[in-house]
């Protein structure tokens, strides 16, 4: 029996039996045994195979598929630097708890450290960023051991036992021959793994004292539940765009600015759900020593960047209680009244970049995208300014299902993640990205003619550089002599040329009304909408927005 063919067959069988339905493969020689088995499984409809020539794009495509389906998705590479290119997606998956399965083909252990071609130390390659790591060798001819190790990795990725999912690493040493050979019947070994616990215990909290719920990055179903809890209790909900709670009845759309008003002084308790990473006003709130800070997380890990939590609980419900401070109805009314008063001021400010040659502002673009999409739509938002611009958008009763890579909030892999989400949902999707974010992963547009075709409209906020730095310390007038080269980083890249080279539809937009009309129709394939936005006045715009709450 050929060890490599048998091992690859066991791997694919275990993936399918566990419920894996999408696999992303980057071509190579050492991973060829897996490629052949996946090719056959794809032909008979047991799974859907996606081929990508760039391993980093492949990994983020798998990340998007896993985020969108909430099921484990493998990405498979050959040995050497190919395996190393998975690391950014593995890190994002670790921090956002996405069940990404990194399967790296390796040379036999006997040639590691000899200088053999495409051979490096792949064992432990992702140490510290995986829930489990297993090492298989085709030379062992041990199907029962292969199945056990794979099952252990799949259970760890899903969080079935630990209540916390995330990426795992399966490193497989394949020996020649690397092409299919006849194999004997392979021993089967069925095992059933059940969850270690049921639903997490619910802590019942009184509505008083004056409480706000802060919702960070959350899966859609969790965000909807948090929105419902806040609405039943009648307390303000401060929800980031990718919390999927922003459509709740008590959501405060301008919360980021209101946290810079006198309202913030009256907050007595903060309940945090999800990964909050977006704004400094929220960070300052969580650092306050005079509030009660409650972190809600069912998993054994929890996020408390301020190191200020009074309690960490698995789940919560708010029940009526008494307090000497404002009752919940009056407390919510104060926030809602301030939100209504601030909204027209925000609208006027983002529509006017304070220049003699008006251009589209980033927040105005985000507002239009948010209001143009509905509950049936899927939106991926890139890091940097786009998600912060979206955080200023007004209320929508039917906001789109929204995703973002907020585990580490990097800009890499965003094109591929959006494509993976669209493929997982099997529906059209939109992605709002900055130009640097788009360019960083433009390889993700390269999809072979035989591959499953996503339908994604990439709306690129193109300001020819990195405008987020203009809003930070580096953008202060005193730092202007070095700013443009070190942080503004103008690139002068023609996005139309990238679209033409990739065979992707392209449209340049200079008026928001034109974009509004275009958004009425769903994307039919891959599209790039290039929207030139203002960068020169970004710091001034940010300062004007941050000063609005003081006028209330």
């Amino acid at each position: 029996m050929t060890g490599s063919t048998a091992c690859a067959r066991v791997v694919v069988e275990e993936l399918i039996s566990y419920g894996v339905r999408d696999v992303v493969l980057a071509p190579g020689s050492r991973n060829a045994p897996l490629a052949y088995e996946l090719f056959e499984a794809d032909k008979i409809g047991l799974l859907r195979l996606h081929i990508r020539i760039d391993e980093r794009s492949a990994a983020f495509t798998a990340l998007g598929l896993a985020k969108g389906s909430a099921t484990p998705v493998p990405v498979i590479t050959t040995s050497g630097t190919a395996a190393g290119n998975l690391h950014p997606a593995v890190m994002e998956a670790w921090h956002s708890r996405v069940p990404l399965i990194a399967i790296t083909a390796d040379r036999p252990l006997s040639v590691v450290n000899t200088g053999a071609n495409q051979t490096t130390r792949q064992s432990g390659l992702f140490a510290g960023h995986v829930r489990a790591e297993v090492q298989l060798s085709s030379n062992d001819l041990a199907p029962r051991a292969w199945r056990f190790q794979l099952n252990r990795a799949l259970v760890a990725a899903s969080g079935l036992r630990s209540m916390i999912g995330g990426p795992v690493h399966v490193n497989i040493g394949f020996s020649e021959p690397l092409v299919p050979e006849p194999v004997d019947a392979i021993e089967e070994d069925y095992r059933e793994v059940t969850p270690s616990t049921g639903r997490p215990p619910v802590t019942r909290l009184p509505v008083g004292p004056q409480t706000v719920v802060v919702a960070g990055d959350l899966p859609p179903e969790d965000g909807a539940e948090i929105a419902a809890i806040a609405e039943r209790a009648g307390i303000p909900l401060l929800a980031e765009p990718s919390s999927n709670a922003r459509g709740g009845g008590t959501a405060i759309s301008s919360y980021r600015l209101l946290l810079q008003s006198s309202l913030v002084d009256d907050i007595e308790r903060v309940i945090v759900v999800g990964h909050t990473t977006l704004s400094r006003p929220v960070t300052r709130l969580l650092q306050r020593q005079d509030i009660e800070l409650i972190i809600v997380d069912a998993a054994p890990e929890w996020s408390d960047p301020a190191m200020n939590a009074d309690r960490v609980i698995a789940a919560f419900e708010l029940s009526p209680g008494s307090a000497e401070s404002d009752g919940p109805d009056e407390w919510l009314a104060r926030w809602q009244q301030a939100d209504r008063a601030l909204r027209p001021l925000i609208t006027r400010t983002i529509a006017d970049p304070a220049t003699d040659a008006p251009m589209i502002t980033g927040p105005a673009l985000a507002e239009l995208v948010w209001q143009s999409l509905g509950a049936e739509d899927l939106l991926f938002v890139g890091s940097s300014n786009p998600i912060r611009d979206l955080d200023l958008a007004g209320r929508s009763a039917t906001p789109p299902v929204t995703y973002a890579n907020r585990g580490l909030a990097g800009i890499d892999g965003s094109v591929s993640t959006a494509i993976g989400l669209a493929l997982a949902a099997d529906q059209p999707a939109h992605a709002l990205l900055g130009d640097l974010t788009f360019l960083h992963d433009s390889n993700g547009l390269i999809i072979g003619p035989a591959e499953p075709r996503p339908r994604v409209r990439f709306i690129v906020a193109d300001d020819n550089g990195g405008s987020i730095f203009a809003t930070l310390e580096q953008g202060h007038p005193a730092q202007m002599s070095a700013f443009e080269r070190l942080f503004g980083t103008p690139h002068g890249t023609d996005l139309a040329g990238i679209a033409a080279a990739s065979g992707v539809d392209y449209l340049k937009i200079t008026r928001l009304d034109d974009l509004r009309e275009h958004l009425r129709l769903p994307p039919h394939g891959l599209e790039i909408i290039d929207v030139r936005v203002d960068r020169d006045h970004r710091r001034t715009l940010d300062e004007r927005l941050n000063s609005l709450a003081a006028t209330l």
Side-chain angles (χ1 to χ4, degrees):
M1 181 167 64
T2 300
S4 291
T5 297
C7 184
R9 187 164 299 175
V10 166
V11 170
V12 174
E13 286 177 355
E14 285 298 303
L15 294 176
I16 293 170
S17 67
Y18 198 80
V20 168
R21 291 298 175 264
D22 286 282
V23 179
V24 185
L25 172 74
S29 175
R30 190 57 49 173
N31 62 344
L34 287 167
Y36 286 117
E37 294 299 322
L38 291 167
F39 179 77
E40 295 299 325
D42 177 79
K43 280 202 306 186
I44 59 177
L46 293 177
L47 52 73
R48 187 169 56 161
L49 181 61
H50 310 266
I51 310 295
R52 296 294 186 272
I53 62 174
D54 181 304
E55 285 85 2
R56 189 182 67 181
S57 293
F60 277 100
T61 302
L63 180 83
L65 283 160
K67 285 172 76 84
S69 65
T71 58
V73 175
V75 55
I76 299 175
T77 76
T78 192
S79 62
T81 58
N85 280 315
L86 304 186
H87 212 151
V90 168
M91 293 170 70
E92 173 62 29
W94 167 267
H95 287 278
S96 55
R97 304 177 182 176
V98 174
L100 178 70
I101 307 170
I103 302 180
T104 55
D106 202 354
R107 300 293 295 272
L109 184 60
S110 59
V111 300
V112 174
N113 296 324
T114 67
N117 185 43
Q118 290 191 334
T119 304
T120 188
R121 299 175 183 178
Q122 291 181 199
S123 181
L125 184 62
F126 310 121
H129 290 113
V130 287
R131 304 290 177 200
E133 179 183 13
V134 301
Q135 177 74 47
L136 308 182
S137 172
S138 67
N139 292 336
D140 291 342
L141 293 177
R144 181 179 288 268
W146 295 336
R147 293 187 194 277
F148 167 76
Q149 295 292 351
L150 286 164
N151 199 256
R152 185 170 69 86
L154 287 162
V155 169
S158 300
L160 196 61
R161 298 281 297 167
S162 65
M163 298 297 291
I164 181 167
V168 297
H169 182 201
V170 179
N171 192 55
I172 309 174
F174 285 117
S175 296
E176 292 86 353
L178 301 174
V179 293
E181 298 247 317
V183 299
D184 298 332
I186 302 175
E187 174 188 6
E188 294 185 1
D189 181 24
Y190 174 77
R191 61 177 56 82
E192 181 177 355
V193 181
T194 57
S196 58
T197 62
R199 288 183 60 83
V202 176
T203 300
R204 298 201 171 274
L205 304 169
V207 171
Q210 291 178 165
T211 300
V212 297
V213 174
V214 174
D217 189 64
L218 287 167
E221 61 276 10
D222 292 348
E225 182 179 359
I226 295 305
I229 291 173
E231 189 164 357
R232 285 195 297 269
I235 61 173
L237 172 61
L238 317 184
E240 295 182 0
S242 62
S243 69
N244 289 288
R246 205 173 172 90
T250 64
I252 307 299
S253 66
S254 59
Y255 76 91
R256 190 173 91 200
L257 302 184
L258 291 176
L259 286 178
Q260 301 173 71
S261 74
S262 58
L263 262 178
V264 72
D265 299 331
D266 295 331
I267 296 175
E268 298 171 349
R269 180 175 63 184
V270 180
I271 302 171
V272 178
V273 189
H275 193 41
T276 57
T277 61
L278 204 52
S279 69
R280 292 185 178 185
V282 168
T283 300
R284 289 194 293 269
L285 173 64
L286 303 187
Q287 291 173 337
R288 276 177 41 183
Q289 299 296 305
D290 62 334
I291 62 165
E292 180 187 10
L293 180 61
I294 300 174
I295 305 293
V296 182
D297 197 331
E301 296 176 356
W302 63 87
S303 176
D304 180 18
M307 298 178 287
N308 194 34
D310 293 279
R311 279 193 285 174
V312 178
I313 60 178
F316 78 106
E317 186 62 77
L318 289 158
S319 56
S322 59
E324 296 179 0
S325 52
D326 292 346
D329 292 340
E330 182 181 350
W331 176 237
L332 175 61
R334 290 174 61 194
W335 281 86
Q336 290 178 327
Q337 181 179 0
D339 194 27
R340 286 191 298 268
L342 200 55
R343 180 49 50 189
L345 303 180
I346 295 173
T347 300
R348 285 198 298 270
T349 302
I350 66 176
D352 175 19
T355 171
D356 294 334
M359 292 180 65
I360 297 170
T361 66
L365 172 60
E367 175 77 28
L368 175 60
V369 171
W370 185 253
Q371 301 300 341
S372 297
L373 302 180
E376 302 302 316
D377 291 306
L378 190 156
L379 174 64
F380 177 82
V381 191
S383 294
S384 197
N385 268 335
I387 193 164
R388 289 170 173 82
D389 291 341
L390 199 65
D391 199 31
L392 291 171
R395 279 191 50 78
S396 169
T398 56
V401 177
T402 306
Y403 293 92
N405 284 343
R406 299 307 299 172
L408 284 180
I411 67 169
D412 47 346
S414 294
V415 170
S416 299
T417 303
I419 287 172
L421 286 164
L423 289 168
D426 193 24
Q427 71 174 71
H430 291 75
L432 177 63
L433 309 177
D435 52 321
L436 296 185
T437 298
F438 176 79
L439 290 171
H440 203 287
D441 190 33
S442 58
N443 274 359
L445 298 173
I446 303 173
I447 302 175
E451 302 310 304
R453 305 304 297 177
R455 293 167 288 169
V456 185
R457 176 176 289 145
F458 294 97
I459 303 166
V460 182
D462 184 2
D463 56 15
N464 192 33
S467 64
I468 189 171
F469 297 108
T471 69
L472 304 176
E473 294 85 346
Q474 296 85 355
H476 190 277
Q479 310 299 329
M480 281 298 99
S481 62
F483 178 83
E484 191 66 0
R485 185 179 181 194
L486 296 181
F487 303 102
T489 57
H491 49 80
T493 303
D494 178 15
L495 300 191
I498 291 177
S502 307
V504 174
D505 290 341
Y506 173 85
L507 177 66
K508 190 172 187 64
I509 291 287
T510 57
R511 297 174 62 252
L512 285 180
D513 285 344
D514 294 337
L515 177 59
R516 182 179 290 106
E517 289 301 315
H518 198 72
L519 291 177
R520 296 185 190 278
L521 299 174
H524 296 289
L526 293 179
E527 303 176 11
I528 300 172
I529 297 184
D530 186 359
V531 185
R532 188 63 187 272
V533 299
D534 177 63
R535 177 157 70 88
D536 292 340
H537 302 86
R538 183 70 208 213
R539 186 177 184 88
T540 302
L541 175 63
D542 194 62
E543 290 172 346
R544 292 172 63 200
L545 286 166
N546 287 328
S547 68
L548 291 179
T551 66
L552 298 181

